[in-house]
Each structure stands twice: as C-alpha cells, then as structure tokens.
Amino acid sequence: MTDFYAKILEPPRVLAAVTSDLDRWASLDLSRLEIAFRAQSLFITTEAVATWLGPLELVVEYEPATLHDLDPPITAKLRESDPEGLLLRPRHFRKARCALQQLGPYGSNLFWRNLLYELALLPTSETTTSKDEAALSTVLGRLVHTRKGWAEETLVPHLSSPGCNITPKLAKVLEVLSIYEEYGSNFRGIIVVKDSVVAQCLGELLQKPQTGLTFIRATEVRPNAVSDSSYQKQLYEAFSKGENNLLIITRSSQDLELPPVSTVISFDLFEDHLSYAYNHAHSKGRNSHQIYLVEKGNNEQRRILSHVQTMDAELRTWIAGFTQGTSQGFPPKSFHTSMDPCLSDSDEESTKEEFILDPTTSARLYRCDAEAALYRFIADFEAQSTWAQGPASISVEQHPPEGIPESYRCTIALPKGTGVPDVVGPYCPTKAQARRETFYLASQVCVLMGLMDYRHFPQPEWRPTDLSSAADEKDSQKEVKTATASSSTHGYPRKSPDFWANSSQYQVTVLYPTVVVPDPLAGETHAPVVLLTRAPLPGIPDFPVFYSGAWANVRFYKGLPFEVTSAQLQALRGYTVRATRSLTNKPFDCAPEDLLCFFAPLRTSWQPLPGTQGARWSQAPVGEHIPWDAVQLAADYFAVPLYSNLTALEDNARDAVVQDRNVEFTMRHFLVKVRHDMTPLSKAEDSPREAGFANFIEYCKARRKDFAGIEDEKQPMVEVTAIPGVINNLHPMSAPPTPPARVPLKYLIPELTYKFTIPARYPRMPPGSQPHSTFRTLWLLPSIMTKLDSHLLVKELSAQLFRLQIAEPHLLVALSTRAAWTDANYERLEFLGDAFLKVLASNLAYAVDPAAGEGALHRARQDVIGNKALHGGATRVGVPPYVQHKRFVAKLWQPPHLPNAADDDDADGDGDGDGDGPGQGKAKGKARRTKKQRQLDAQNTLWMGDKVVADVVEAILAAAFLSGGHDAALQAARRLEVPLPNVAQWTDFARIGGQQAAQEHAPSVPPLPPSTVEAVQLIVGSVFGKPELLAQALTHGSVFGGAEGASYERLEFIGDAILDFLVARHIFERHVHLSPGGLTLLKGAMVSNRALAAFCVQTGLHAHLRLASEQLRAAIDRYVRTLDELRRKEYDAAAHEKRLPGQYWLDMPMEPPKCLSDVVESVVGALYVSDGFFEVGVGRFFETVFKPFMDAHVRLQTLSTNPKVTLLELLQAEGCQQHGVVKKPQERQNGPVEIEEGHGADRRGVVHVHGKVIASATDSSATIATRKVSLTALDALANDPELLARICDCGSGEARKQAPKAEGMTQEEAEAAEVEGVMDAVDDEE
C-alpha cells in the first residue's frame, strides 16, 4: 500500500474501518499511516465494555477564521470616546476581542451594544471611583452618542455571502444544530464554551431569525450557577419543560444538575478529564452525541483531543461510575485535570465571589475550581508520600434536618497521612452544591495547614503585561530601558517574589514555621533557626552555602502552624529587628504587622522527624520548642554585662558573643575561652594592640575615655576573635571580608565587656553534645533568604508559564547567569539547549518547504534560532525580570517587610534634592538621587544584553528536555514563543512534512541496488523505512550534471542538526563536571569535517557515495590512502606507548573532500526522517557505531596535537584572561615545569591563587615537560568540577571589581562601591 500510494499522484478515495481493543488506545499512533496514505484518522468510541456508557463521540472540523482586523472600527471609536478608561476598562476590550475571534464581527458588536446599554443604566458611583464627575459625565455622553449613531447590524450567517459577519466555527455550530430539528420537542442540548462573554453573545445570537433555527430556544447559564440554588431550580424546570432546550454553559457550571441531553457540543476543547466526565454525565449515554469542534489543520487541538480520549481501563471505569453517581473514590493516577481555571481572566476580574489565594503564584481558587484542585492534591500526595494510610473518598448523604426539605450533605475523607480530619460540608438544596461547598472547604483546610500549594492551584493564562490598549502598550515599553551605549542592551524591572506581598493579606495571629538547619561549615556547627512566615512557605530544596573554600548544605523542615499571642508577636518582632540590626550594623525598625517573616531560635529539644528531611507533607510541632525567654531578652536589650556576681564567668562565657562597649552598632566578637592564666595586670605578650603598655589596665587608662578603673583586678581575662561582617555566601569563591586596617583586639577585661543577647551557642546543651551556634546560622541568613527568594521566583515561573513541566532545580540553573555569582549558571544548559533548538528549527524548515534548497533551509532555520527571535519571544512573555542576573550585596539586605514611612524618609534623606527621571543626567538644578535610592535602583534593574536573554531561552529548553524529553522541551519552546507555527507535538513534524510533500512534486532520484541498501543498513545498524531517502542521502549533486534532481543537500542539512544534538547530549551526560568551554571544544572536534570524514572512511560509507565527478573521486582516493597510513602509524604508536589512539586525522596534510563529512550527515538525516523525525534508528546508529569511534579518539587531551594549545583554548573558551604555562627556574637537573593559574594586573599574569598550583611535571626536556604538564592540567580541569570556578573569576567581573579596591576597604564596602559604580554609569548614560 505504501509503495502504491507513493507512485501515483491521484490516489483513490478510500474509507477504512479498523477495530481495536480500548486498552490499546493509549499506545496507538497512526501518524505514520496518515503520512504514507495522505489520510486522516478518527477515533469513534464503541460500546464494547458494559461499563462504558458514554455518548457517541464525533469530531466536526471547521475552516480557520480569517480576521484581518482585530480592532474593528467600532472598537477604535469607543476607545477614542474614553481614552482615559474611566468607563471602558481593559477587560472590556479583551472581552470584545474574544467575542470577535470566536463569533465574528457580529458577536463583537453585540457585546458592545449590551455593555453600553448597561453602562447607561448604572449609577455613577458603581461605574467608576473617579472624583472628577464632570469628566465622567462627558465620557458617558460621548458613549451614549456613539451608541445612538450606531446603525443596527443584520446577522449574515452564510459563509458564501460577501457580507458574512460570523466565524466558520459559529457557522459549523449552526449547521450541526440544524440536524437536530427532526428531534422536535424532544431535543435538549448543551454547548460548553470557555468564556462567559461568548456564552452571553452566543445565547442571544442563536435567537436571531436569520439563523434559521426556529426550534432552538437558547439561554446562557450564569457562571457559577451551582451556588444559586433557586436559580438552578428554575433553570432545571424550564429546561425539563422545553421552555429552553439549549443551554450555553462555561466550565464553572459544568457540574449543574440537569435532565439528560441529546447532544453536548464542545465549542472549546478542554484538556481535562473532569470536564470530559461531566459532559458524559449530562448525556443520555449511548443515545446521545458528544461533538468536538476542531479547527482544520490545528495540531494543538488535535493533541488536546487525543490526550483527553486516551485513557486506561481504570480511568474508564471511574468515569462510568462518576456518570452514574456510584463512584465514591477519588480518580485514578491516570486522571488528568487542566491547570486552567474555570473562570476566564475577564470573568475573574468582574466576579466578587470568595476565593482562596495562593501566596506563591497569586493564583485564585474559586469554588468551581476546588474539585479539580483537590484531585490534583490527592494524586500528588499519594505519589509523593509513603504514609498515605488509606484512600480518599467522597460520600453524599440525603438526611435533611427538621424543617429543611431535600437537603444534601457531602463528606470528604482525605488520606490519614495528611493529618486532616474528615471534612463535612454544610447542608445544601442540591447534590452539586453540596459537593462544591465541601470540596472548597476541604481545599481551604489543606491550604491553611500548608499542604496544598501552588502545584495544585489553577493558573490563569500567562499574561505578564496587559496590551489590550495602546496606552497599556506604551506603559509596558517604559518599563524596559535601552542602554545609551548599545541598543542591544536593555534594563528590565527586577521581579520580586509574589509570596511576600501576598503574605501581607494573611492574619498575623497564625504563623507558619520553616526550620533552617545548615550543615557544619568551615569546622563550625550551626543551630537550627526557624523562619516564621504569615503564609505557608512552599517546600524549599536543599542548597549549598560557601565560606572560605568550604561549603555546607542548608536544609529546610516544615513545621505545624501555630497561634501566637500579641506579646509573643512583639517578642518575635524585637528578636527579628535585633538580629537584622546586628547583621547589617545599621538601623532597621518595623512594626510587627509590617514584618512578613520573623526569626527565632529553637531549643535543643527540637529534632526533625525521622526521614522527613525535604518531605513536603511531614510537619512536626515547632512552636513549643521556641525559647520565649531568650527571644524576649533579645527583644528588650541588645547587650547585658558579661561579668556578674550572680552568674559564674564560665557559665556566661560558654555561649557568648561579646562587645567591648555598651553601644548597639559596634564590632562584635566570639568569646573563645576564659584565660585564667591572665589578669588585667598581665602584660599582653601576643596582642599587638596592648603590646606597648605594661598591662591591660594601663592600656585602658591611656585609650579608654572616662575610664574609672575596675573593681576586681584579679579577674581572669577572656580571649576573643572578631566576627566578620556578613558576606555573599552563594558562590564557591565566597571568602572572609578583608580585615580592618586597625589592629584587632584579642583580649578583653570581663568587667568592661558586654554580652550580646543573641548567643553564639545555646546556653543549656545536653551533656556531651557538640555546641551549635545560633548566631552563626543568623550570620548566614541574608544569603539563605536571598537564595530562598530565587526559589520562590522559579516556582512562580514554573507554575504560571510552564505549568510545572520543568524540574525547578533545572529551571533555577537556566535562569542564573554568571553575573549572579552563584554556585551554578546556565552555560552548560545553554550548550545543550542550543543544539536542541537547532533540531527544532531544522525539523520545521525541512518539513514546511520540501522544495527548498540548502541555502533557503539555513535562512529559515536562522529565523527561528536567531538571538532576535529568541529575545523577542522571551520579552513578550515576560521572562527577563525573572532572570537571576544580580549579585547579592549583603550590605543592602533587609528581611521581607512592607514599606513604611521610615523607609521613605531614608530614601528621601541625605541627597541634595535632585530628580531621578531617566535622561535627566546631572544638569544643574535637577535632583540627584540619594545614595540609598541609587543602590536600590541598581538592585531593582537588570541590565542585560539581548544575547544573554537568548541564551537563557536556550538554557530553559535544555532544562525542559532534561525534565521531560523532547515533547516537554517543545512545549517550553512554544510557551517562550519560539516561532514554530502549527507544531503542537513532536509527531506534527512528520505530519506537516507529509502534507507538504503531497502538494509538491519532489525531484526524482535513481533507486539504489538492493545490495547497496543492505550494505549501508549493515553499517548503520538500522533499517531504512524509506529506501528512497537513503538513495537521496548517497547521491552527490554531480550525478545530475546541473539538471534538477534530489541530491543529499537537504538531508545533510537536517542530519547535521540531529548529529550535533546527539553529540552535545552525549558529552553533556558523560562529562558531568566539564565546563561549557570544554564541552564546546569536544563537540566541535567530534562533528568537524575532518572527524566526520575519517569516520566515513573508517565505516566504509564513502564506498557507496554516488557521484559523477572523476576529479572528486580521485581526491577521495588520495585522501583514503593517506588517512589509512596515518591511522596505522597512530595505532602503532599508541600500542607502543600504552595509550589510547588520538585524532590521527589532524596530521593529514590536506583538507578532506567535504562530501565525505556531508554523506555521514545525510545518511543520519535520512534515517531520522524515515523514522518520522524520531531518534529510533539514528539513536541506535549513534550508540553502536558513531559514539564508540569518537570516544576512542576524541578526548580533551587529544583535541590538538599540541596539548598546550588545547589547554590555552580551553581556558580562553572559559573566559579566563590571565593564564599561562610557565617554566620555573631549574635549581637542579630535571627541575619541574609548572602551570599556574593567576589573576591580578600587578602580578604580570602569573601568580598563585590560594597558593595552589594545578599541575606540575618534570622532565629533562622542556618540550616534553610542557606536554606532560598540559595533559595533567587538562585532566585536573576535566575531573574537578569546581576547580576553575574556585580560582578564576574573570567571567563574574570579580577581578575587575577588586583591582581598584582601596587598601583597607572591607568586602561589604567593596560590594556597596560596586553598586555605586553601576549607578554612576547609569547616571552618566542618562
């Protein structure tokens, strides 16, 4: 059949019926048959299973709409009538556009007529909050005048008419409904739409006589009609009697109780099994129809329909029970619910219904969404938790209390492992309302207990910026600044997590604990500290912090929420403020109602539950372990005397952070130990500060102001060490700040010393236990909170834009640039994503235009993968503000809090009164921003080049691929608006290619002899499904002598892309620690023309290449002979030296004929296209033939015949600016040759970093020693993932920052200076 159809231009029309068991539906893929036979497959549900009582499902196609004007004249006129938006809000224009796109110009005009009529009737106070009544009256007058002058439009429903004013989709609905006229009074139907504005207009439109549907009595059902029992009763009775025989409903009313209907028409498709089940519940079973409207050629709708109709036996059984009302269990694991909310965005803006707010993503959960959300939560809980302890269930009882007729009550029993008791809803007049109320109540309980989170909430359509009006578009453009020096560099507003702003809506009477437990860092242990938030924090994964070359994981444990009294709240506020002021050494104050996160210590009695680390569901009590007396002490006092007659010095010193003066903002010290061998009368032998004095008392007399002596001159001294200022602990190169220029103190007199009220260690440790430092944990808190904010932003973007399809750890790395100065950045992912994007674009270009030559294909691909396209798509969807591009500056940190008057005073304080508008520069008489304003502006604006944004897009694609494979990455590309028209799933490439090829006359290619086909298939280890493609892959353009013919160029184009990706994926997975520069060098070596030509000769593919040029044939023969000789020599040398062979083809004195590398890529392309653009055959070829050859010859050490050259290329690829291979002076014969990695302009490019030499070698020959040391260094860089990150900071700008750093400047001062420098540069540009 395939051969027959391939040979004829006009195949006969055939209708074929195929039966299949329902259990096999999930595995059926008829896309290849559709391509081969130029056919279309449709599934029709048969009634083979007794429990499957669904309606007959039919698919009806309609032609795509051609709306050239999305802003019709009436819309433009109304916008002019109300330019300020006093009455016509952005949501009105969105609704009008929705009606236009779904119903046509008549539907849009109908919406505007109804809206203007409503506005004219409403009182002024209800239409606007503006105080300018005159302006409002003027606008209303203009709108009324516009309405009066608006001629009545006639409905023209016939598509063939020139004046047709409806869409083909609506015309198809009218056509379908006309079929049911023969049902007469027995007809009952439902049309399910997505948007209520469509329902409203459609209900009115269907009553027009021009439709010809005189038997239709349609009405639109109010959104959330289930919640209004009286309205629902009236609707039920009217529908039963036939007063209305067609209901137009939205998803928010799909759970209505209605009489069975003849047909359910899905005007819009929902990728949701719950909606599917409700449609079946409304039908008459086998005697009714479920009709899906699908746009012709719309592959996205085809994908949705296929997904919804694919279900296993367990899910079919559940749906059957659901439709009959016999199912009490929750759906099985294969059940899928869409994350789209039941209410559209415009409906949500106008509703006043109560909702539950998700603090992480700002999503809203209404009653109509609660059932699907709870299903998602239970499925997630049962999949993630090992202690579910019993299934969830739903039961409805009809047991009315006295005096209440026909009332229902629903009970939901959640798995015992959730800790949630059975949820019993209120009595309601209908089962539907009882279910809805109980699902909402159960969701509310789970959210307040911190169990349900952003993963389970519906997420509205991603719309970062409202562009519904011209004014909105101008405002959005103002948010993005363009650098003066370069038009390809833009400043984006930095996104802050929604979590903290949403937390302010929660009451402060209940707090949600998250315990922070750092592992030991740099030899010091850390006590747990609890973060108390006003809203439940979502689960935060472990992440590392760094200090002085060491690192430690920070772990998070969720705790049970608990109530706090007003006194406890004041104590927590005081403790948090005290900790913040001590860490930043700057004033900070905040009222308890304005603080969004409180800090508190924990007693040693708190221990995490066994096996709960990182578990999202386990919550242990925390509130009872807070030492409230210690919290209150820190809230009341910043310091107390260390030396007291009431407390032994040893007891006081055990946990002390001390200071030498009784002021709050000063330097503090850890108390190391009590020195009983020293007194204030002792001579300071090892303390430079007091070395010039006879004893400590003499020093105090000379240097301490108003020193009046001490009471006890025999008291022991205390030895201390300075506490460093807070730093950025998020990068492996995080180091202690530069110590101050003045001589540090080492000893203190206890009587003159004060003890800070936040201890270094908890005072009452169990006997024999290792002390844990509370203050050291607080010292890490600025970095921890900054990283926590990054995780919150990633959760926002993951849920809202990518619908949780990308693993959050991968997404965080993809969004982190090197400038962010964290432990990981996007560069490795960008390497993989670039190769994947090349495959996507190549697939599309190849499939869309089967007649395009290689040049046209390259241009088409570039339109997809170019930085301009990637940057434009990412900017439109609002990705740049989420990019982690700012280095954390510890000095500017403050805990999450609401802005207050003190903040405003600081911002307006110490400047000289100049303005802050962009472009104002430093002209005389114009305001200059204060230092704090400039610092905050620098932190809140992300200046990035367009290429950085494009690289982030590629990294996100790689993150999606690693999370869910090809289809997940494809969906991510679509959400990032990568231009892939009409590609909804991977099989669409083959489908589009087949459709386009059927319309084009492809050039012919001579067939291959069967022996050649068998030989090549033996080489590649796979069978070609389309031998004609193999013939094309082996045919050189010279065969046609200038005439038209199918050479290998097109297949070489797509083969180049897929081979590039396979190699990139291979080395990415194999070299998990290799830097991006090394990955690029390795990939370049494996896919170079020289390497591919050598592989072609090695496998014998060159012998099957068809060409007609004798000159080219002779060049190939010369190359093969020379290459064989080089190969023999290299293998002999490798055997003699007991090493693996290298890239012997690099010693070739001539360039290889390009056709040799081209034919490898074209054969790969032919195999790939033959398999429907899947990697089945080509993957087998890569694993068994290509990869073994390349791995045997291509390694970092063999990238060049000179390892020193390879090493220098690798370091340059990593952005390292100062490196070299240096021969040290030989003090003896055979002295070592060492390579040293160094930085600092004053060190002539070669210095030790932390005294570390990364490689050394010794040999009598300097040349051999250099080769050895280079190979050793390459091994070190390949095997140590953090080596280069620890010793090279060229890419982060750290070296440039430190170069001009003044002597004696502390680290935090340098960080602040960096911010100031950025703002100075911005001011200069302005």
Side-chain angles (χ1 to χ4, degrees), residues 512-803:
Y512 295 84
T514 300
V515 182
V516 180
V517 185
D519 289 343
L521 177 62
E524 296 290 343
T525 55
H526 295 72
V529 168
V530 62
L531 309 179
L532 298 169
T533 53
R534 292 162 60 168
L537 263 176
I540 304 297
D542 299 351
F543 55 76
V545 289
F546 305 87
Y547 181 69
S548 191
W551 69 276
N553 266 335
V554 179
R555 310 180 188 279
F556 297 86
Y557 299 85
K558 295 181 71 173
L560 288 173
F562 62 94
E563 294 185 4
V564 291
T565 65
S566 58
Q568 289 173 330
L569 190 65
Q570 287 291 345
L572 289 171
R573 171 257 171 199
Y575 188 95
T576 304
V577 168
R578 184 76 64 216
T580 303
R581 291 159 72 100
S582 67
L583 293 173
T584 60
N585 218 20
K586 292 191 299 185
F588 172 78
D589 199 6
C590 193
E593 60 271 15
D594 292 336
L595 266 178
L596 304 176
C597 181
F598 302 88
F599 310 142
L602 287 178
R603 294 191 181 98
T604 54
S605 58
W606 177 86
Q607 293 295 326
L609 294 175
T612 62
Q613 196 280 313
R616 288 164 46 198
W617 317 113
S618 57
Q619 296 184 340
V622 171
E624 62 196 50
H625 300 284
I626 296 176
W628 292 105
D629 54 345
V631 172
Q632 188 66 58
L633 178 65
D636 294 340
Y637 307 99
F638 61 83
V640 295
L642 174 67
Y643 192 67
S644 171
N645 293 328
L646 300 177
T647 307
L649 181 59
E650 291 285 354
D651 292 338
N652 245 352
R654 192 181 306 151
D655 65 316
V657 172
V658 298
Q659 52 194 63
D660 64 346
R661 62 196 69 191
N662 192 22
V663 295
E664 184 173 8
F665 301 110
T666 184
M667 197 165 185
R668 294 183 176 86
H669 301 76
F670 289 120
L671 197 152
V672 178
K673 58 183 175 180
V674 178
R675 293 293 297 267
H676 292 281
D677 59 330
M678 298 178 65
T679 69
L681 298 176
S682 300
K683 169 71 175 174
E685 300 292 347
D686 57 348
S687 177
R689 190 181 71 153
E690 298 91 357
F693 299 88
N695 52 51
F696 292 101
I697 292 181
E698 293 300 323
Y699 171 82
C700 292
K701 291 178 180 177
R703 297 295 177 86
R704 197 174 181 101
K705 187 177 181 180
D706 300 329
F707 178 68
I710 59 177
E711 295 182 2
D712 185 1
E713 295 184 347
K714 296 183 179 180
Q715 59 185 292
M717 298 292 291
V718 291
E719 183 177 342
V720 298
T721 181
I723 296 177
V726 290
I727 63 169
N728 181 345
N729 298 102
L730 301 178
H731 191 274
M733 290 186 66
S734 296
T738 305
R742 64 176 183 267
V743 179
L745 60 86
K746 187 175 181 180
Y747 300 105
L748 288 174
I749 300 173
E751 192 175 325
L752 302 178
T753 303
Y754 296 86
K755 177 182 175 181
F756 187 53
T757 49
I758 297 179
R761 296 173 177 86
Y762 193 75
R764 291 181 291 277
M765 300 293 297
S769 63
Q770 186 177 10
H772 292 70
S773 173
T774 299
F775 189 85
R776 292 184 191 275
T777 303
L778 290 174
W779 186 80
L780 294 172
L781 215 49
S783 294
I784 291 174
M785 295 296 292
T786 301
K787 191 74 169 184
L788 187 147
D789 280 354
S790 299
H791 281 282
L792 291 174
L793 283 174
V794 166
K795 293 175 187 298
E796 272 186 55
L797 193 64
S798 173
Q800 294 177 342
L801 180 57
F802 299 110
R803 300 300 172 93

Side-chain angles (χ1 to χ4, degrees), residues 831-840 842-843 961-962 966 986 1020 1022 1054-1071 1079 1082-1084 1086-1087 1092 1095 1160-1161 1163-1169 1171 1173-1188 1190-1191:
F831 164 82
L832 180 63
D834 173 78
F836 179 82
L837 182 61
K838 185 177 177 182
V839 170
L840 276 183
S842 301
N843 286 357
F961 176 80
L962 295 175
H966 291 74
W986 204 264
V1020 301
S1022 294
I1054 196 167
D1056 164 74
I1058 188 61
L1059 186 61
D1060 193 73
F1061 171 67
L1062 291 173
V1063 170
R1065 184 174 67 183
H1066 164 56
I1067 60 178
F1068 181 90
E1069 294 172 349
R1070 178 176 179 179
H1071 301 278
L1079 295 176
L1082 274 178
K1083 189 189 78 170
M1086 288 187 179
V1087 298
L1092 294 181
F1095 172 78
V1160 174
E1161 295 171 338
V1163 168
V1164 169
L1167 195 54
Y1168 181 62
V1169 176
D1171 289 332
F1173 296 82
F1174 285 95
E1175 299 169 11
V1176 181
V1178 76
R1180 188 181 305 115
F1181 161 70
F1182 183 83
E1183 291 293 328
T1184 60
V1185 184
F1186 189 87
K1187 186 174 76 172
M1190 291 299 171
D1191 284 350

Side-chain angles (χ1 to χ4, degrees), residues 367-428:
R367 281 175 168 79
C368 54
D369 300 304
E371 184 174 3
L374 199 65
Y375 286 161
R376 283 193 292 270
F377 164 67
I378 294 300
D380 195 15
F381 179 83
E382 292 178 344
Q384 299 286 337
S385 177
T386 57
W387 53 86
Q389 299 176 11
S393 64
I394 312 162
S395 61
V396 179
E397 59 175 327
Q398 184 177 3
H399 186 71
E402 285 188 31
I404 303 180
E406 289 192 305
S407 288
Y408 300 87
R409 185 172 66 178
C410 182
T411 301
I412 295 179
L414 298 178
K416 299 300 181 184
T418 61
V420 179
D422 291 356
V423 179
V424 181
Y427 281 102
C428 299

Side-chain angles (χ1 to χ4, degrees), residues 376-488:
R376 283 193 292 270
F377 164 67
I378 294 300
D380 195 15
F381 179 83
E382 292 178 344
Q384 299 286 337
S385 177
T386 57
W387 53 86
Q389 299 176 11
S393 64
I394 312 162
S395 61
V396 179
E397 59 175 327
Q398 184 177 3
H399 186 71
E402 285 188 31
I404 303 180
E406 289 192 305
S407 288
Y408 300 87
R409 185 172 66 178
C410 182
T411 301
I412 295 179
L414 298 178
K416 299 300 181 184
T418 61
V420 179
D422 291 356
V423 179
V424 181
Y427 281 102
C428 299
T430 64
K431 289 182 181 179
Q433 187 176 1
R435 284 174 58 92
R436 178 176 283 199
E437 292 294 334
T438 310
F439 272 107
Y440 184 78
L441 183 59
S443 299
Q444 200 168 40
V445 171
C446 291
V447 169
L448 291 176
M449 289 186 64
L451 297 174
M452 280 184 66
D453 59 20
Y454 67 99
R455 301 168 185 269
H456 314 116
F457 274 67
Q459 296 296 333
E461 181 181 353
W462 175 258
R463 192 178 65 243
T465 305
D466 185 3
L467 299 179
S468 59
S469 68
D472 295 328
E473 187 169 0
K474 291 177 182 178
D475 291 341
S476 69
Q477 291 173 351
K478 289 179 181 178
E479 293 182 359
V480 179
K481 307 172 185 177
T482 302
T484 305
S486 172
S487 59
S488 61

